Amino acid sequence: MASIVVDDRLNVEAVRSHFPALHQQQIFLDNAGGSQVLSDAINSIRTYLEETNVQLGASYNIGQKATDKYNEGFKAAAEFLNAGVDEIVVGPSTTQLFANLSQSLALSLPADAEIICSSIDHEANIASWVRLAKLRNLTLRWWTPSKEPGDLRLTPENLRPLLSEKTKLVTCTHTSNILGTIHDVKAIADEVHKVEGAKLCVDGVAFAPHREVDVKELGVDFYSFSWYKVHPFPCPSLPLNPFSHSTYLKQTPPLTFCRMAHTSQVYGPHIAVLYASQHAQQSLTSLGHYFNPTDTLATKLGLAAASYELVSTIPSILYYFGHTPAERKKTWAAIAGHEERLQSILLEYLNHRDDVVVYSERSTEARLRVPVVSFSVKGRSSKEVVEQVDTSSDFGIRWGHFYSK
């Protein structure tokens, strides 16, 4: 197949050739609901099930091949994040992995510990921590940005007043799956780590489809995303209130958003990955069988391993971006440039309409946002907008809160 990057620009036709679903009449713009799958990943699943569908760890030939494929998947997942193989675990979803993580952390938190949760996160990175706080009777603080529509950004400055010497965990999103704003996670991590013993847990589900992830550079303690969401295009959402978890904003009337997610990439199957640094793992209690080793994150939180055939697809996803770090960096740069051109068309149009309010980042710059755009249309519900698009075009879009309710 032709290269997906030509002269530092994304070769859209070459990209489309990698995805069988894109040969249909339907135009998939439903970013938050998941992605279409890379043909090499589909072939990998079929080959695994046809040829190597046996229990891992056996000494006979096919057993060794199955184990090798699974291990290659783990190695590729770690490389995608710039993590060690012993620092990752693969599971069914980011929601499940955060639930496992919260259970594993429960015993290590002191009785007076405080947890800080972002109120503009996907529920995946909220529910587990709310449950943990209730279970252990811990103090839970809500981290809420300005309520102004154009300033819904998490920053070290609006986090700082919430931090104390009792803070043990801060959770936030790298990029809101509703707003598309990119948060400066490295700066947030630096702020969190000024508190002795405090750790940062980041939901990267809406960021990983659009930008390269380097957990070492970010300095995070925990980071998770879903491979089936690793896909960056416009798609309306609603009704929701992004401040619904905030105590002092409970009276804010629900906002009606139309959310559009532009993009060009779709990749993997329905599994997720969680990273935990070596230092952070010292706070974890193993959830595995008592007789199993506990020297890696996977043996601590994996619970009998992830889906073998789905893990075997991860190398094909990694190599889609390139076979070397330099090639992958070039691909990610081309994706960001392509997305900036796409989102500029939509945002420039919306920003010039008097009857439209764009929530959070109004800029079209790729360094500030990914092409997930939320807006409200005066006098119209998003359900109405979406249904009109459904009846008049082949665009597959959605309305709803997308689990950021």
Side-chain angles (χ1 to χ4, degrees):
M1 291 184 176
S3 172
I4 64 171
V5 178
V6 177
D7 296 329
D8 296 326
R9 292 175 69 97
L10 204 63
N11 181 347
V12 176
E13 290 306 312
V15 168
R16 291 178 62 84
S17 70
H18 285 272
F19 300 96
L22 300 187
H23 300 153
Q24 304 174 77
Q25 187 70 23
Q26 184 75 65
I27 300 172
F28 298 97
L29 304 181
D30 180 14
N31 181 55
S35 68
Q36 302 310 312
V37 182
L38 187 69
S39 59
D40 287 346
I42 296 171
N43 294 335
S44 177
I45 294 170
R46 181 174 61 248
T47 300
Y48 189 97
L49 292 175
E50 289 178 347
E51 300 177 6
T52 56
N53 190 34
V54 298
Q55 186 70 22
L56 302 183
S59 58
Y60 58 88
N61 181 46
I62 297 300
Q64 290 182 28
K65 287 183 178 180
T67 303
D68 287 346
K69 285 189 175 185
Y70 188 83
N71 290 339
E72 287 166 7
F74 253 73
K75 183 179 177 181
E79 191 172 349
F80 191 94
L81 290 161
N82 190 29
V85 174
D86 56 351
E87 295 178 313
I88 66 164
V89 59
V90 177
S93 66
T94 294
T95 301
Q96 182 65 65
L97 289 174
F98 280 154
N100 291 0
L101 177 62
S102 68
Q103 185 178 350
S104 181
L105 275 172
L107 295 179
S108 68
L109 296 175
D112 63 348
E114 296 181 355
I115 298 174
I116 300 172
C117 283
S118 155
S119 64
I120 61 170
D121 268 48
H122 186 288
E123 190 68 9
N125 203 21
I126 292 180
S128 293
W129 310 118
V130 172
R131 189 180 306 115
L132 176 58
K134 289 181 179 178
L135 180 68
R136 289 288 318 279
N137 197 28
L138 305 176
T139 298
L140 182 66
R141 300 189 183 281
W142 291 107
W143 177 14
T144 302
S146 166
K147 61 182 179 180
E148 294 301 317
D151 192 26
L152 305 179
R153 186 183 298 275
L154 301 172
T155 68
E157 290 74 22
N158 53 39
L159 169 64
R160 194 172 297 134
L162 301 172
L163 294 168
S164 76
E165 70 275 2
K166 296 181 180 181
T167 302
K168 296 303 176 186
L169 182 70
V170 177
T171 72
C172 72
T173 180
H174 199 157
T175 297
S176 166
N177 71 313
I178 288 292
L179 305 173
T181 304
I182 297 174
H183 301 122
D184 189 345
V185 166
K186 180 174 174 54
I188 292 170
D190 289 344
E191 189 69 30
V192 170
H193 293 149
K194 290 177 182 178
V195 178
E196 184 177 357
K199 296 177 177 63
L200 177 65
C201 178
V202 179
D203 179 347
V205 171
F207 181 85
H210 306 272
R211 304 289 184 271
E212 186 175 26
V213 177
D214 185 335
V215 291
K216 304 297 186 183
E217 175 65 23
L218 293 171
V220 295
D221 300 288
F222 307 108
Y223 193 100
S224 185
F225 70 86
S226 301
W227 293 100
Y228 71 100
K229 297 289 184 71
V230 176
H231 125 114
F233 236 107
C235 119
S237 308
L238 328 207
L240 83 150
N241 181 348
F243 306 108
S244 60
H245 288 286
S246 166
T247 300
Y248 75 90
L249 288 172
K250 285 284 188 180
Q251 303 307 312
T252 304
L255 303 174
T256 300
F257 280 148
C258 207
R259 176 183 169 287
M260 308 195 73
H262 271 72
T263 203
S264 53
Q265 305 295 315
V266 286
Y267 315 121
H270 206 296
I271 49 174
V273 62
L274 170 70
Y275 159 83
S277 70
Q278 291 287 353
H279 176 70
Q281 287 187 49
Q282 295 174 21
S283 301
L284 302 182
T285 301
S286 175
L287 304 181
H289 298 316
Y290 75 91
F291 50 79
N292 280 341
T294 59
D295 55 339
T296 70
L297 188 64
T299 54
K300 289 183 177 75
L301 303 186
L303 298 177
S307 167
Y308 302 162
E309 66 272 19
L310 300 187
V311 172
S312 75
T313 69
I314 298 176
S316 65
I317 300 169
L318 177 71
Y319 299 142
Y320 169 78
F321 293 95
H323 286 266
T324 67
E327 288 178 355
R328 291 193 284 272
K329 193 169 292 293
K330 186 176 180 180
T331 300
W332 282 114
I335 289 171
H338 185 73
E339 290 188 348
E340 184 170 302
R341 290 188 288 274
L342 286 177
Q343 68 190 16
S344 294
I345 298 170
L346 175 62
L347 283 165
E348 288 172 4
Y349 169 75
L350 295 176
N351 285 334
H352 283 87
R353 286 190 63 124
D354 294 334
D355 60 342
V356 168
V357 177
V358 175
Y359 293 90
S360 199
E361 186 57 61
R362 295 170 63 90
S363 171
T364 64
E365 293 184 54
R367 67 182 181 86
L368 297 175
R369 62 143 52 249
V370 300
V372 175
V373 180
S374 287
F375 59 93
S376 61
V377 181
K378 295 177 183 178
R380 301 189 69 183
S381 72
S382 293
K383 181 176 184 291
E384 177 188 354
V385 172
V386 170
E387 290 178 346
Q388 186 169 340
V389 171
D390 288 342
T391 59
S392 60
S393 75
D394 294 317
F395 291 100
I397 60 179
R398 295 279 296 276
W399 63 276
H401 51 68
F402 285 91
Y403 298 92
S404 292
K405 191 170 182 179

